[in-house]
Amino acid sequence: MSESAVTVLRLAADGPPVRDERDATDVLGDAFGTGASWVVVPVERLEDDFFRLSTRVAGGIVQKFATYRVGLAVVGDISRHTADSGALRDFVRESNQGGQLWFLADEAAFDARLGIRP
């Protein structure tokens, strides 16, 4: 896949948190404004509730992105969250097998997965 085939909105790590569906809608508005088909969100922008599946925060946010057919890539170290939750580990593994939601170590891994060359 060539870089010209994919437009990516990359959020900065130091921006406002993406806490809920309303925040996700704001990010999606930015994505639509740039024509992005993927949004890269650093883990620093997500609160701990996102990684506690029982809160349903992740489900609500991910559903917003899926509804509008925009891919969501969470980049960064989530090992402290997955160490505490088998359900989260399963969710991450299953998500990474699909084409809508990915959990990746860094943006280089995201670029490699999409076939974007540096």
Side-chain angles (χ1 to χ4, degrees):
M1 184 176 298
S2 71
E3 186 168 2
S4 62
V6 178
T7 302
V8 178
L9 173 63
R10 297 170 191 264
L11 301 185
D14 60 355
V18 180
R19 295 176 302 247
D20 54 27
E21 291 178 50
R22 184 179 321 140
D23 295 334
T25 300
D26 291 343
V27 171
L28 284 163
D30 293 341
F32 290 138
T34 63
S37 56
W38 276 91
V39 175
V40 174
V41 179
V43 295
E44 295 86 354
R45 297 282 294 268
L46 299 169
E47 296 184 344
D48 286 349
D49 278 352
F50 181 88
F51 299 101
R52 284 193 287 274
L53 297 182
S54 63
T55 66
R56 299 186 179 174
V57 170
I61 291 172
V62 171
Q63 184 60 46
K64 278 285 182 200
F65 278 84
T67 297
Y68 292 101
R69 294 189 172 100
V70 174
L72 175 61
V74 175
V75 296
D77 182 8
I78 63 168
S79 60
R80 75 177 177 93
H81 300 290
T82 57
D84 295 337
S85 172
L88 180 61
R89 282 191 303 277
D90 292 343
F91 179 66
V92 168
R93 185 178 58 254
E94 289 173 18
S95 296
N96 283 343
Q97 293 174 1
Q100 176 63 46
L101 171 65
W102 298 337
F103 293 86
L104 301 164
D106 53 36
E107 288 193 41
F110 172 79
D111 290 345
R113 182 136 185 205
L114 276 186
I116 298 173
R117 295 185 188 130

